[in-house]
Amino acid sequence: QVQLVESGGGLVQAGGSLRLSCAASGSIVSINTMRWYRQAPGKQRELVASVGSGGSTDYADFVKGRFTISRDNAKNSGYLQMNSLKPEDTAVYYCNADIVDTGTWRISRYWGQGTQVTVSS
């Protein structure tokens, strides 16, 4: 069984920074792409950023230049550094990863439970 656990959310003023962490645990063989999504109240969940197993990254236009995604393969962890936060960044942020586990030996997509980020104006 595999679990993803996010941490690092909280309340911050506009212009501030937060660093989210996502820790994967369980019977993991390998982790492919890791992603961060977010969902604001009344809106659909949207992709924020992704990082491949080799470190290649991709960002949604609305966070380019402000957010940085990274990972530590030795720790089975991913991170999202969020700078210059805006009130419109307020949302629940979810970690997502494509993981091969020892139970199935196939790639499955896992989600964390989410962490709240609130940016005040």
Side-chain angles (χ1 to χ4, degrees):
Q1 189 173 358
V2 173
Q3 282 189 321
L4 297 179
V5 178
E6 301 100 333
S7 61
L11 173 64
V12 64
Q13 287 189 331
S17 299
L18 284 174
R19 186 179 190 239
L20 305 183
S21 298
C22 172
S25 63
S27 305
I28 297 169
V29 176
S30 63
I31 301 176
N32 293 356
T33 301
M34 300 186 78
R35 307 172 187 86
W36 287 93
Y37 282 79
R38 70 185 188 185
Q39 187 167 21
K43 295 188 177 182
Q44 289 190 328
R45 192 171 296 188
E46 58 186 359
L47 178 63
V48 175
S50 63
V51 57
S53 56
S56 61
T57 59
D58 195 19
Y59 296 91
D61 286 343
F62 52 79
V63 302
K64 281 182 180 178
R66 301 188 298 124
F67 291 10
T68 302
I69 190 171
S70 61
R71 62 190 289 168
D72 185 334
N73 292 331
K75 295 182 179 180
N76 286 338
S77 293
Y79 308 96
L80 185 68
Q81 177 67 43
M82 305 185 295
N83 298 330
S84 302
L85 283 162
K86 305 174 181 180
E88 51 263 44
D89 294 318
T90 295
V92 177
Y93 284 72
Y94 296 90
C95 177
N96 163 293
D98 297 335
I99 297 174
V100 178
D101 64 87
T102 60
T104 65
W105 288 91
R106 293 183 293 184
I107 294 177
S108 299
R109 186 160 294 181
Y110 292 88
W111 289 88
Q113 83 288 351
T115 185
Q116 177 70 46
V117 171
T118 303
V119 184
S120 63
S121 57

